[in-house]
Amino acid sequence: MSTLIIFIIVALLFAITLAVFILLPWLQTQDHHAIANRADNQLLTLNIEVFKQRLEELDADFAEGQIDEVTYQTQKLALERQLLDISDNQDTRHFTPNWKSRLIVIIWIPLLSVMAYVMIGDRTPVYQLWDAQNRLGQVADDLLTAKIDTPPEWATKDSVGLISAMQTNVHHHATDPLRWFRLSEVFLALQAPEQAIEALARAYRLNPDDEKIAITYAQTRFFTQGGVMDDKTRQVVEHILAKSPKHQGAQMLMAMGEMRAGNYAQSRKWVELLRSEIQARPGDHTQALNSLSELEQTINQREAQGKQAITVNVKVTPEILGRVKKGQNLFVNVRKMAGGPPVAAKKLSADSLTINGMAINISDNDSIMPTMTLSSAISANEPLVITARVSASGDAMPQSGDLTSNPVPLEKTADSTTVLIDKIVP
């Protein structure tokens, strides 16, 4: 049975139940007091008819001359007073519904409910999701449970519907880490790293001891952030190494992360540990050893370039520091005073930013373009400025609400400079 039919049946049952509850007072047996009131009303109605007949007879007697005018007016006034008393005592508050009024309410409540659901908003996306679940739900489940590795050709023609069906399936089985992991692979194939990281984070929280999930999560975070190992990534990698000290994927991440952080001695230790473990294994590992040699050369090169770094002391006012939240990012950019893209940029976690500020080294290792390094721009006497910005979104472009500094000119001979974050981007 399709989801649409199930929804309609459930909605109708709910609406009919609501109508019955509204009609319940009408359907219940009336109490003795209400029955007595209705009986009294019937007697009073009969008495009113009798009084009306007596008035007609009195009018006829007067017209025939059987009674004089004084007697006529006296008796008429007495009858009218009695008639008014009867009318005041009649209970007109009670309404006795019939089967027609009950049927109208039972029909109109479900009908109005359906009209409200359809007319209040556009339900097309909901109908499309239901249709995708009906057509592709089983394929999505087979993909997420690793029963099949690739979807059938007919299913790939509706990639949006297939992804919607997979996301719905995952949320229906929210405690299954395998489904979250498989969903992250789909997002990575679609070049949607943020969604992939979110899915991997759910999978890791559900099963942090699964090394495949953990290393994939750490690698995706590391490379998505441009090779920066943040606190969360480091925590995941260290958890892997605590359980499996010889896990080469985790060791390689530590080597690259320490290199990007400027901890070159630690990075070399990880490289040497990897090399010794690879050499201890039987077989030909020439390619892996060559890769380690290239990484070691990169470490040496970055260390040499880092010695020519400029120290940027990032300060922040107390008022602005109170707006910095955990998990936000700190961007330090060096760009030409005339404008254009940054010559060098560094992205760090803003969690370490305190009232005393923090010192950041920026060098050719942080250059955006290999053809225009920081040192070459300084040597060419290009007027440069340095800015610092705390971003909640993590976007390289300034957004409204970001915390930023004024541009500070970079002196050619200076080996350090200070920037102050003291305003909010409007």
Side-chain angles (χ1 to χ4, degrees):
M1 188 180 295
S2 68
T3 308
L4 178 60
I5 295 175
I6 295 174
F7 173 78
I8 292 174
I9 293 174
V10 173
L12 285 175
L13 288 175
F14 178 78
I16 292 173
T17 303
L18 181 63
V20 170
F21 273 107
I22 292 175
L23 289 173
L24 194 59
W26 289 2
L27 299 175
Q28 288 177 339
T29 303
Q30 301 294 326
D31 57 22
H32 296 294
H33 180 70
I35 294 174
N37 284 340
R38 287 202 299 273
D40 291 343
N41 286 343
Q42 291 174 356
L43 291 175
L44 291 173
T45 302
L46 180 61
N47 289 336
I48 290 172
E49 295 296 327
V50 172
F51 276 110
K52 288 181 178 179
Q53 291 178 3
R54 291 181 62 186
L55 282 172
E56 291 175 356
E57 292 173 357
L58 185 64
D59 290 338
D61 292 344
F62 178 71
E64 294 175 357
Q66 296 181 6
I67 57 175
D68 57 22
E69 183 176 358
V70 174
T71 303
Y72 169 74
Q73 293 293 342
T74 302
Q75 292 183 4
K76 182 180 179 181
L77 181 61
L79 288 173
E80 288 176 345
R81 285 177 176 175
Q82 293 175 8
L83 184 61
L84 286 174
D85 290 340
I86 292 173
S87 300
D88 290 340
N89 292 330
Q90 188 174 17
D91 185 4
T92 59
R93 295 170 297 172
H94 185 78
F95 168 71
T96 303
N98 55 26
W99 66 271
K100 291 182 180 179
S101 59
R102 292 168 178 167
L103 184 62
I104 288 173
V105 174
I106 290 178
I107 293 175
W108 272 101
I109 287 181
L111 183 60
L112 292 174
S113 300
V114 172
M115 291 175 62
Y117 178 79
V118 173
M119 298 175 64
I120 286 176
D122 183 11
R123 307 298 176 181
T124 303
V126 178
Y127 303 147
Q128 291 175 344
L129 175 61
W130 289 344
D131 179 64
Q133 286 180 287
N134 293 330
R135 292 183 298 103
L136 303 166
Q138 188 58 51
V139 176
D141 189 78
D142 291 343
L143 285 169
L144 292 169
T145 54
K147 293 179 181 177
I148 59 175
D149 293 325
T150 56
E153 184 178 354
W154 62 267
T156 59
K157 295 179 181 179
D158 184 9
S159 58
V160 175
L162 181 59
I163 294 171
S164 298
M166 293 180 70
Q167 288 178 298
T168 304
N169 183 290
V170 168
H171 285 282
H172 286 167
H173 302 83
T175 57
D176 186 352
L178 175 61
R179 294 176 192 264
W180 286 105
F181 180 75
R182 297 278 288 185
L183 182 63
S184 73
E185 293 179 329
V186 174
F187 283 133
L188 287 174
L190 295 173
Q191 297 183 351
E194 292 183 3
Q195 291 85 345
I197 291 175
E198 183 178 354
L200 284 167
R202 293 290 294 269
Y204 179 74
R205 285 199 299 269
L206 291 168
N207 190 4
D209 294 330
D210 189 315
E211 291 185 357
K212 183 177 181 181
I213 293 176
I215 193 62
T216 305
Y217 178 39
Q219 289 173 342
T220 305
R221 285 184 64 95
F222 180 79
F223 292 110
T224 299
Q225 296 177 357
V228 176
M229 181 176 285
D230 60 9
D231 294 339
K232 182 61 180 179
T233 306
R234 182 179 292 275
Q235 178 184 350
V236 174
V237 175
E238 290 176 348
H239 180 72
I240 297 172
L241 291 172
K243 291 192 61 182
S244 303
K246 295 185 178 182
H247 194 290
Q248 294 185 2
Q251 291 175 344
M252 179 61 77
L253 273 181
M254 290 299 295
M256 292 188 294
E258 297 291 7
M259 177 188 69
R260 292 300 301 265
N263 302 323
Y264 303 110
Q266 290 294 327
S267 181
R268 288 193 184 92
K269 289 181 179 179
W270 286 111
V271 171
E272 290 301 322
L273 181 59
L274 272 168
R275 180 180 284 112
S276 62
E277 291 179 358
I278 291 174
Q279 290 174 341
R281 293 186 307 178
D284 184 12
H285 304 290
T286 304
Q287 185 175 358
L289 293 172
N290 289 339
S291 298
L292 287 177
S293 298
E294 292 176 1
L295 177 59
E296 194 169 25
Q297 291 176 4
T298 303
I299 293 171
N300 295 334
Q301 181 181 0
R302 291 180 66 89
E303 185 178 26
Q305 292 175 343
K307 292 179 179 178
Q308 303 173 1
I310 298 171
T311 301
V312 180
N313 297 303
V314 180
K315 303 287 186 179
V316 60
T317 61
E319 295 80 6
I320 295 297
L321 183 61
R323 294 176 175 269
V324 179
K325 296 183 175 63
K326 186 176 180 61
Q328 293 183 337
N329 297 289
L330 173 65
F331 288 90
V332 178
N333 296 325
V334 180
R335 65 179 72 243
K336 296 180 181 179
M337 188 176 292
V343 176
K346 203 157 193 172
K347 179 182 178 182
L348 303 153
S349 171
D351 295 347
S352 302
L353 194 59
T354 66
I355 191 64
N356 297 321
M358 60 184 297
I360 299 168
N361 291 328
I362 191 164
S363 65
D364 285 349
N365 294 328
D366 306 301
S367 299
I368 303 299
M369 300 292 292
T371 55
M372 176 58 73
T373 62
L374 177 60
S375 59
S376 63
I378 294 175
S379 300
N381 292 323
E382 288 278 3
L384 302 174
V385 293
I386 299 179
T387 58
R389 176 174 58 88
V390 175
S391 169
S393 64
D395 198 330
M397 298 299 296
Q399 304 289 330
S400 178
D402 287 355
L403 315 174
T404 188
S405 69
N406 288 315
V408 176
L410 177 63
E411 300 293 337
K412 179 180 178 181
T413 57
D415 56 3
S416 66
T417 188
T418 300
V419 294
L420 177 65
I421 300 176
D422 59 352
K423 62 181 182 178
I424 303 172
V425 177

